[in-house]
Amino acid sequence: MRVLLLGSGGREHALARSLADDPDVSDLHAAPGNPGIAAIAATHPVDLADIAAVTALARSIGAGLVVVGPEAPLVAGLADALRAAGIACFGPGRRAAMLEGSKSFAKQVMTAAGIPTARARTCASEGEAVAALAEFGPPFVVKADGLAGGKGVVVTGDLGAALAHARAAGTVVIEEFLDGPEVSLFALTDGATAVPLLPAQDFKRAGDGDSGPNTGGMGAYAPLGWAPPALAGEVLASVIQPAVDEMRRRGTPYRGLLYAGLSLTAAGVRVVEFNARFGDPETQVVLDRLASPLAGLLAAAASGSLAGVGPLRWAPGAAVAVVIAAEGYPAAPVKGDPIDGISDAERIPGAHVLHAGTATDVAGRLVSAGGRVLNVVGTGPDLAAARDTAYRAAAAIRMRGGWYRHDIAEAAAHGLPSPASSPGS
């Protein structure tokens, strides 16, 4: 199978790594990719916003399957264009991807399908926002309705800050605060059948102890030893399958990866958000644990044949990902700082490094090119060992101004969930 992977971040490097290890993948291409992906795939400089150019690339290389990493091209309708050209695509069409493209639409689908979620109001004016904030009270949860690159949510006890975010975002969804540990669950779906992957937990706040501003994610781990063993099955039955069924009922079957961000409240599981693609950085640990070949699973979802896929196989042990960020992230990340020590990090048994925001400068040096620069993944027989490996590997990497949280999976290594953090993205 010749596969074209679209995207350039740490999530895509994790996908590329799994696809490259799949014996059924004869030829792996990526667009635009990054320096890490380029080591295992042929890369192509294409603008993912240019749907015609991406479709032409897929046709020119004879791609048997296109895997779309980021959300923006999906919301723009890339999967529809590829399917119209007769090219198999893992990713929902434009109308289905509105589950991530519009928080308001996602709430409508959840209501129609009877999916448990927070009470919410969609607000298009300041007056509506003021009324909703008064209704739900603090902590205030204000979400930009559209795509916001993982930074569209404010959770605050400050009414002024909540209103300021609502003004800046335009249309927002304001909802009640959900108090409980957050969990990410991915499911592959072909529009009818859904197959859950391993639950994971990520860390959205910038600082240790879940302090500081919201980010795209500073680390993740799997599995969740503290969570109920039946969690994935429960979420499949109460959240994922009802959403898939409702989308099919609406005439917009959802094919691809459905990401459910969940809060495990005292009253039970509640959906915080849906995303239309693999989450970042949870993908980096979930795929590390997946022992079943990835390409066949994605192809089955794209072709409508997931019902024939047997039980997924998972590697024993655990994985922890630590994000190394650039100076100034998330407000104004500094770019262009040289990166050294990746080979030293990867000499540590059980560790590997994924590129998230890197580039090669004119001198051929690897440099930072984004806010979240690297994902350092550590594995081991349990979370404590995996965590130790990840942090020893992170310490081996040298980048001026680089920083990372020091408490990723710390509580989980002692059998406890991390506290609730910012709901949604």
Side-chain angles (χ1 to χ4, degrees), residues 86-116:
I87 301 166
C89 177
F90 179 80
R94 180 184 62 81
R95 292 173 66 191
M98 289 305 290
L99 277 179
E100 177 167 4
S102 169
K103 297 287 193 295
S104 177
F105 175 75
K107 285 291 187 182
Q108 294 169 29
V109 170
M110 285 185 250
T111 298
I115 295 170

Side-chain angles (χ1 to χ4, degrees), residues 29-370:
H29 294 254
N34 63 37
I37 294 172
I40 53 176
T43 57
H44 305 267
V46 67
D47 180 1
L48 298 189
D50 188 338
I51 291 176
V54 175
T55 304
L57 171 62
R59 186 183 289 113
S60 70
I61 66 173
L65 175 67
V66 176
V67 178
V68 185
E71 62 274 19
L74 293 168
V75 173
L78 175 59
D80 300 304
L82 290 165
R83 291 185 182 114
I87 301 166
C89 177
F90 179 80
R94 180 184 62 81
R95 292 173 66 191
M98 289 305 290
L99 277 179
E100 177 167 4
S102 169
K103 297 287 193 295
S104 177
F105 175 75
K107 285 291 187 182
Q108 294 169 29
V109 170
M110 285 185 250
T111 298
I115 295 170
T117 186
R119 294 181 300 121
R121 299 283 181 268
T122 299
C123 305
S125 69
E126 183 167 341
E128 291 175 340
V130 169
L133 291 168
E135 176 183 358
F136 295 126
F140 304 108
V141 181
V142 185
K143 301 180 177 182
D145 183 47
L147 297 180
K151 304 179 193 68
V153 177
V154 163
V155 181
T156 178
D158 184 334
L159 178 60
L163 276 173
H165 184 63
R167 289 190 202 102
T171 299
V172 294
V173 171
I174 294 175
E175 63 184 42
E176 65 178 335
F177 179 76
L178 296 175
D179 188 9
E182 291 185 19
V183 170
S184 300
L185 184 78
F186 307 157
L188 309 174
T189 176
D190 60 7
T193 299
V195 177
L197 302 185
L198 193 67
Q201 188 171 53
D202 76 330
F203 296 75
K204 283 284 191 283
R205 297 287 189 176
D208 288 359
D210 283 329
S211 62
N214 209 31
T215 73
M218 295 303 299
Y221 69 92
L224 309 182
W226 52 266
L231 178 63
E234 177 189 346
V235 175
L236 176 66
S238 65
V239 174
I240 300 294
Q241 195 65 55
V244 170
D245 293 344
E246 174 64 18
M247 295 302 288
R248 186 173 71 253
R249 187 192 68 78
R250 291 172 178 237
T252 55
Y254 192 103
R255 289 172 286 181
L257 192 290
L258 182 57
Y259 168 131
L262 310 165
S263 180
L264 307 187
T265 75
V269 173
R270 297 290 183 270
V271 176
V272 174
E273 64 172 348
F274 282 133
N275 287 334
R277 38 69 193 180
F278 280 100
D280 186 339
E282 301 99 311
T283 299
Q284 288 84 312
V285 292
V286 172
L287 291 186
D288 183 83
R289 297 293 85 199
L290 181 64
S292 298
L294 180 63
L297 296 174
L298 304 188
S303 65
S305 56
L306 263 181
V309 171
L312 302 187
R313 293 182 291 107
W314 297 98
V320 173
V322 175
V323 171
I324 298 182
E327 179 184 13
Y329 178 75
V334 176
K335 301 178 182 179
D337 284 311
I339 303 165
D340 295 298
I342 290 180
S343 58
D344 297 331
E346 292 191 322
R347 277 195 285 270
I348 295 172
H352 66 271
V353 179
L354 301 170
H355 293 235
T358 66
T360 304
D361 69 8
V362 292
R365 299 177 303 175
L366 184 69
V367 297
S368 61

